[in-house]
Amino acid sequence: MLEHTIHGDISGTPVLIAHGLYGSGRNWGVIAKRLSATRRVITVDMRNHGHSDWSDDHTYPAMADDLAQVIDHIGAPMDVVGHSMGGKAAMMLALTRPDTLRSLVVGDIAPVAYSHSQMQYIEAMRAVDLAQVTRRSQANDQLAALGVEPALCSFLTQSLDVAEKRWRLNIDVLAQNMPAILSFPEVSTTFEGPVLFLSGAASDYVDRSYRPKILDLFPQAKFAKIPGAGHWLHAEKPREFEQNLTSYLNTISGAHLT
C-alpha cells in the first residue's frame, strides 16, 4: 500500500491528494494542514516516489489501483484531488473504480497525450553530485546551475534524502515509463460524478481543444482557472488553489446533503 499520512480527524467525506511527477505527499503538507481544519485529508506518496514502494510498472491503471487500495483501507468514498500525473491517476481511478470517490478535482492536466518532455529534470537530478551535498541548499545550487528554475529546484530537492545521499525517486523507472506517463489510456467508461478541472491561467496543459475529450469521459465537468498561475498552480498560488478547492468541495457537500 502507498505510504500515506492522515491529517485531522474531522468527520465527513475525506479528501485524498495525489501529487504529480517528481513530487511527494510532503509537497502538499501546508495545504493539507489548512484543509484539515474542516475535513480529514489524506496525502499519499505515489509509487516510485517518496517513501512508497518502487515498481517497474508505472502506468495509470497501476497508480489508480494504488489509490483505490488506500481508499478501501481507510473508507470510501472520498473527494480525490490530483495534480498533473496524480490528476491522471485520479481520473483513471474515477473511470475504473467510481465507487471509491464522491467527486474529483484535477489540477492542470487533461486525459490526453502530451508532448511536454519531463526528461530534462531527470537528467538534471542525475547530474547532481550527491557526494558533495551535505545540505539541501547545495543541491538547489547545483540544479540552478544546470538551468532548473528556482521554484522547481526547491520542489525537486524535497525528494532528496541528504543523509543517505540519494533521491527518493525511482529515476530510472520513471525515465523508462515516461511515454506512459505522458499519455493516457484509452477507456470506454465515463464518470458521472462532479468533476472540477482547475488550471493555471498561464499554463498550456489544459487547452480548450481538450474539452470535448474531457466531457466525453466526465460529462459533469466544470472548468476554472487561477490567474497568474502556471502548471505548478498549487505551489505558485497556494492560497488561491486552496480557496478554489474549498469552495468547490463545500458546494459538493451542500449538493450532497440536499
Side-chain angles (χ1 to χ4, degrees):
M1 186 183 299
L2 297 179
E3 184 73 19
H4 59 277
T5 302
I6 299 175
H7 309 259
D9 58 0
I10 306 295
S11 61
T13 304
V15 176
L16 181 142
I17 300 176
H19 65 78
L21 184 63
Y22 309 137
S24 70
R26 176 180 176 177
N27 301 143
W28 290 83
V30 174
I31 288 176
K33 182 178 180 180
R34 290 179 59 85
L35 290 174
S36 70
T38 57
R39 63 195 82 233
R40 192 160 40 129
V41 181
I42 296 90
T43 53
V44 301
D45 288 348
M46 303 293 280
R47 62 173 53 202
N48 294 312
H49 291 73
H51 293 275
S52 285
D53 291 339
W54 288 11
S55 169
D56 290 339
D57 183 359
H58 200 82
T59 59
Y60 288 113
M63 286 186 270
D65 185 62
D66 289 341
L67 296 178
Q69 287 183 35
V70 174
I71 295 173
D72 287 341
H73 174 71
I74 296 174
M78 294 189 184
D79 295 315
V80 177
V81 179
H83 172 250
S84 198
M85 177 194 77
K88 284 188 169 182
M91 285 188 276
M92 197 67 190
L93 173 70
L95 294 166
T96 56
R97 284 288 310 276
D99 58 299
T100 61
L101 69 169
R102 180 180 67 165
S103 71
L104 176 64
V105 177
V106 181
D108 208 64
I109 204 73
V112 301
Y114 286 87
S115 59
H116 299 81
S117 174
Q118 301 293 334
M119 284 299 296
Q120 68 270 32
Y121 302 118
I122 284 182
E123 296 307 326
M125 285 186 282
R126 283 173 169 164
V128 172
D129 184 358
L130 295 177
Q132 303 301 315
V133 172
T134 57
R135 299 187 306 276
R136 190 166 280 110
S137 61
Q138 294 171 326
N140 278 340
D141 292 343
Q142 289 194 43
L143 287 170
L146 292 163
V148 179
E149 49 267 47
L152 284 180
C153 290
S154 299
F155 169 78
L156 292 173
T157 55
Q158 286 189 53
S159 291
L160 178 62
D161 186 331
V162 176
E164 295 292 328
K165 297 187 181 298
R166 69 182 186 92
W167 295 99
R168 290 195 180 278
L169 300 165
N170 193 349
I171 291 175
D172 291 340
V173 163
L174 294 176
Q176 293 162 11
N177 281 268
M178 194 60 67
I181 294 169
L182 294 176
S183 67
F184 191 77
E186 287 294 326
V187 291
S188 57
T189 55
T190 61
F191 177 67
E192 301 294 334
V195 183
L196 173 65
F197 282 80
L198 182 58
S199 307
S203 171
D204 61 355
Y205 273 72
V206 187
D207 190 88
R208 289 190 70 90
S209 65
Y210 301 155
R211 289 198 179 185
K213 175 66 172 179
I214 291 171
L215 291 168
D216 279 346
L217 298 175
F218 304 100
Q220 304 302 316
K222 306 295 183 185
F223 301 87
K225 290 184 180 291
I226 297 178
H231 181 59
W232 309 92
L233 66 175
H234 63 292
E236 296 169 17
K237 300 286 185 178
R239 289 298 180 91
E240 292 85 345
F241 183 92
E242 178 198 338
Q243 288 165 0
N244 276 270
L245 176 58
T246 299
S247 176
Y248 184 71
L249 293 177
N250 287 344
T251 299
I252 296 304
S253 296
H256 182 71
L257 292 172
T258 58

